[in-house]
Amino acid sequence: MKVQLNMIKKTHKSLLVSVGFFVFSLNAYADAYSNKSIATTPHIQTLAASCGACHGSQGNSVGGSSVLAGLDASHFVLQMMAFRNGSRSATVMQRHAKGLTVEEINDLAIYFAQQKRVTALIPPNQRLAE
Amino acid sequence: MAIDRRDFLKIAASKALFSLPMLSKAATQAKGRVVVIGGGYAGATAAKYLRTWSNGGLDVIVVEPRSQFVSCPLSNLVLGGNKDINDLTFGYDLLKSNHGIQWVNDEVVAIDVASRVVKMKQGELAYDRLVIAPGIDFMFEQLPMLQSPEAQEVVPHAWKAGAQTVNLRKQLESMKDGGVFVMSIPKAPYRCPPGPYERVCQVAFYLKNHKPNSKIIVLDANAEIISKKSLFTKAWAEMYAGMIDYRPNSSVLAVDVATKNVKTEFESVQANVLNVIPPQRAGKIAQIVGAASVDKRWCEVDFLTYESKIVPNVHIIGDSVSAALPKSAHMATSQARVCANAIVALLSDQAPDTLPVFANTCYSYVSDKMAMHVANVYRYDANKKMMVPAEGGGVSDKPSELEGNYAQAWAKNIWSDVLT
Ligand SMILES: Cc1cc2nc3c(=O)[nH]c(=O)nc-3n(C[C@H](O)[C@H](O)[C@H](O)COP(=O)(O)OP(=O)(O)OC[C@H]3O[C@@H](n4cnc5c(N)ncnc54)[C@H](O)[C@@H]3O)c2cc1C
């Protein structure tokens, strides 16, 4: 899919993204290209944390799944929409992409774009004591 | 919900006109003490996110009798010889030190709800809000002969990962070729709906490779395989042909521990290795506090906050909750996060999220490398006042090595999230 991407800061603090022929605005102000970060709604905070089971805390995967932290927001939206409409085939992600609203996908994109990339900690194994 | 281009434009238009930035106030003002009972998947997650989302404003104390975290997810692979129990065993040190969580190595034995105090074997703790995350308890009154630790040495359940998992593996290792492994499954709901069927695959994998004349008899109290049915049926037929004898509607009524003989309504079955998974209910402390009102087994909660419908200021998460949701580790952590977020809101005079949404992915291994999923997004339904599956959920077309890799990634990431 050919993609044209504009990110324009709007004065009312919503972000207009135009992706190909889709035009939609995002409900929280964020700019993946500046270092400004915003508080996230509790709704998105818990939803994003639920992605952590496979993609790590704040999207910092320990491996075996995509790192979402710091991922370009428009790339995230495009991939999720492609999982959703089947243009990108997937084993599992289509189940999640189809269950989310477009607004949630947008908000998740902004949330993950804002997260710092860090090396996730792996808890060390122990010998079973009991 | 199918969204077409016109919907996009509508959303765009409405947003441009009406949307205000929904910036939540940083919840720095949350103050108080939260005691969390249980450091399993649900409790450990709740503790971490209570500290994180209150920016350290809440004092969080976990009470947990076990000194180690042993993961049930992947523990069936120990039985197949495809994991070591030590691969699934962790300490709590990073979780405690990274998030300033206080930890008491003890068991809660009573709760004084009126004065908001939990009583442990040694000492007491006062709380503003209490989170109960005790996992499951076994209903041994239905199978009293299996209650004692001595009986469970002989007939382990291995439904709480740890020493019993190792014991069951050892019994399989010392079983003769041509022996019979008998496993029983309780009526749903129980912890991890696909778990018993995954266990059958793992035992079959081991026996096929090492003791190919052996048999597996599955006594299922349910009328049919209750999770990933067609996938398991196919895997059993194609990968372990002739090895698995599946008997539905077979509730275990009694067990002769000494001889490893099981009685159902219809028959007596003789085992060489016997694994009875007993019927289950909410963890004992949830029973003691009177929160387990549904069938006297499971706890009814408000799905916006996970506060008990019966006991005020007490939140219940994880396997103990009565919900039309699978009792899985991913679900337990998702519930824990919604609960933590709500408690932070409540203790800083803000309203909790009114429409929580979360995901569940649960993999089952059919061999050493191949796995398959069931995955769903769940969304709060304000009319039904419960979490309901969103569109798009479902199971794999077939098991694959790719999903086996994803399952490992799931485990590593969830351990990293919950334990560091
Ligand atoms: C064989 C098997 C395979 C599974 N596979 C998967 C899988 O692949 N994916 C998946 O998502 N789920 C899986 N599950 C399910 C998963 O293990 C459970 O859903 C999950 O552990 C539930 O978390 P919990 O916190 O409610 O309970 P637990 O993890 O059991 O934690 C409860 C904790 O509370 C403590 N506790 C209990 N009572 C008290 C008390 N009175 N005072 C203090 N502490 C107390 C206990 O010691 C324990 O540590 C599997 C389960 C089994 C048995």
Side-chain angles (χ1 to χ4, degrees):
Chain A
M1 185 179 0
K2 189 166 162 283
V3 174
Q4 259 185 1
L5 192 71
N6 308 308
M7 288 195 143
I8 305 160
K9 260 186 246 173
K10 305 284 278 186
T11 48
H12 68 292
K13 294 195 172 181
S14 83
L15 180 68
L16 187 82
V17 180
S18 108
V19 180
F21 54 81
F22 294 132
V23 180
F24 53 96
S25 73
L26 306 180
N27 83 349
Y29 162 76
D31 187 349
Y33 302 111
S34 83
N35 290 324
K36 268 187 239 163
S37 87
I38 53 145
T40 314
T41 61
H43 181 73
I44 288 305
Q45 207 169 41
T46 44
L47 175 55
S50 160
C51 307
C54 294
H55 292 279
S57 304
Q58 279 99 45
N60 280 299
S61 171
V62 302
S65 61
S66 311
V67 173
L68 304 179
L71 193 66
D72 179 70
S74 56
H75 179 74
F76 181 97
V77 171
L78 277 180
Q79 298 312 306
M80 290 294 276
M81 296 315 291
F83 287 135
R84 201 181 149 109
N85 65 27
S87 63
R88 178 172 170 189
S89 70
T91 39
V92 185
M93 271 316 296
Q94 76 282 13
R95 312 236 168 267
H96 299 302
K98 284 180 186 164
L100 299 174
T101 65
V102 173
E103 198 173 330
E104 282 160 352
I105 289 173
N106 290 338
D107 290 352
L108 285 172
I110 294 173
Y111 172 87
F112 283 119
Q114 287 180 167
Q115 303 309 310
K116 261 208 215 98
R117 271 195 193 180
V118 295
T119 305
L121 294 172
I122 296 178
N125 283 121
Q126 291 190 352
R127 177 161 279 282
L128 180 68
E130 66 186 21
Chain B
M1 172 182 37
I3 294 225
D4 63 14
R5 184 173 167 227
R6 250 181 319 146
D7 291 323
F8 268 98
L9 296 174
K10 260 191 272 172
I11 291 168
S14 69
K15 285 281 161 203
L17 288 175
F18 305 116
S19 88
L20 287 170
M22 294 169 56
L23 305 186
S24 68
K25 275 181 268 169
T28 42
Q29 56 276 63
K31 283 261 158 9
R33 180 197 265 183
V34 183
V35 171
V36 179
I37 303 177
Y41 275 97
T45 305
K48 169 178 169 172
Y49 284 96
L50 280 164
R51 290 285 298 165
T52 307
W53 288 336
S54 69
N55 297 324
L58 293 176
D59 286 334
V60 177
I61 308 175
V62 175
V63 184
E64 166 62 60
R66 295 176 85 176
S67 61
Q68 294 177 314
F69 178 101
V70 189
S71 176
C72 284
L74 300 196
S75 69
N76 281 330
L77 274 69
V78 174
L79 305 177
N82 300 314
K83 278 274 177 220
D84 190 287
I85 195 75
N86 299 326
D87 299 336
L88 314 180
T89 305
F90 305 92
Y92 286 111
D93 301 343
L94 289 175
L95 177 67
K96 292 187 234 176
S97 60
N98 288 350
H99 302 285
I101 298 166
Q102 299 168 65
W103 208 271
V104 181
N105 193 211
D106 203 340
E107 186 182 336
V108 174
V109 290
I111 302 168
D112 182 338
V113 177
S115 50
R116 298 197 204 179
V117 170
V118 299
K119 300 188 173 161
M120 299 165 296
K121 283 183 173 161
Q122 291 168 3
E124 303 184 346
L125 285 168
Y127 63 84
D128 295 303
R129 292 264 165 183
L130 179 64
V131 177
I132 304 186
I136 50 153
D137 181 32
F138 296 112
M139 299 169 76
F140 282 123
E141 68 275 16
Q142 292 185 16
L143 294 166
M145 67 294 284
L146 293 180
Q147 176 115 43
S148 72
E150 296 75 29
Q152 290 172 36
E153 273 296 308
V154 184
V155 183
H157 51 73
W159 216 242
K160 294 184 181 179
Q164 291 210 7
T165 316
V166 176
N167 171 348
L168 187 55
R169 169 68 190 169
K170 287 200 177 127
Q171 290 199 26
L172 288 165
E173 281 173 357
S174 38
M175 188 176 89
K176 63 171 195 266
D177 187 11
V180 179
F181 171 70
V182 178
M183 189 189 84
S184 77
I185 306 172
K187 264 220 166 69
Y190 57 82
R191 156 177 287 182
C192 195
Y197 312 105
E198 179 191 56
R199 177 168 290 183
V200 170
C201 293
Q202 284 301 310
V203 173
F205 176 85
Y206 169 68
L207 295 177
K208 183 181 168 181
N209 289 309
H210 297 277
K211 292 159 188 180
N213 300 308
S214 307
K215 287 266 175 299
I216 297 175
I217 298 175
V218 185
L219 303 173
D220 194 342
N222 300 287
E224 57 176 12
I225 295 174
I226 62 160
S227 176
K228 305 176 185 168
K229 182 183 173 191
S230 62
L231 287 165
F232 279 118
T233 307
K234 200 154 179 270
W236 292 356
E238 288 175 2
M239 302 172 74
Y240 309 111
M243 189 168 240
I244 300 162
D245 176 354
Y246 176 75
R247 303 181 186 174
N249 297 311
S250 297
S251 289
V252 172
L253 301 181
V255 177
D256 185 337
V257 174
T259 60
K260 297 189 185 172
N261 193 284
V262 202
K263 261 201 181 53
T264 71
E265 203 184 318
F266 311 107
E267 57 183 342
S268 279
V269 181
Q270 183 59 47
N272 295 99
V273 175
L274 178 58
N275 174 211
V276 173
I277 304 170
Q280 296 156 33
R281 63 185 161 208
K284 196 167 167 197
I285 193 67
Q287 315 277 337
I288 290 173
V289 74
S293 55
V294 180
D295 302 331
K296 297 198 177 132
R297 288 171 73 185
W298 308 107
C299 304
E300 209 184 340
V301 298
D302 173 347
F303 289 104
L304 297 180
T305 59
Y306 289 84
E307 186 165 358
S308 165
K309 290 274 181 94
I310 312 267
V311 193
N313 303 312
V314 169
H315 301 249
I316 301 163
I317 51 176
D319 284 352
S320 287
V321 169
S322 169
L325 308 172
K327 296 186 186 301
S328 78
H330 196 170
M331 199 63 90
T333 59
S334 288
Q335 293 180 345
R337 294 188 198 96
V338 174
C339 174
N341 217 320
I343 289 176
V344 170
L346 292 169
L347 291 178
S348 54
D349 294 324
Q350 294 180 36
D353 181 13
T354 53
L355 291 170
V357 177
F358 52 64
N360 180 51
T361 305
C362 182
Y363 292 100
S364 304
Y365 275 91
V366 296
S367 68
D368 54 342
K369 293 202 176 72
M370 297 213 305
M372 56 214 193
H373 74 262
V374 56
N376 245 309
V377 170
Y378 294 88
R379 186 172 286 287
Y380 185 73
D381 182 317
N383 292 322
K384 294 186 182 147
K385 293 195 167 31
M386 59 192 275
M387 299 300 292
V388 299
E391 199 191 318
V395 300
S396 308
D397 299 331
K398 56 177 192 310
S400 66
E401 286 199 17
L402 180 64
E403 290 208 41
N405 291 339
Y406 286 163
Q408 297 289 336
W410 175 90
K412 286 190 180 134
N413 278 295
I414 202 167
W415 294 334
S416 170
D417 189 40
V418 174
L419 297 170
T420 73

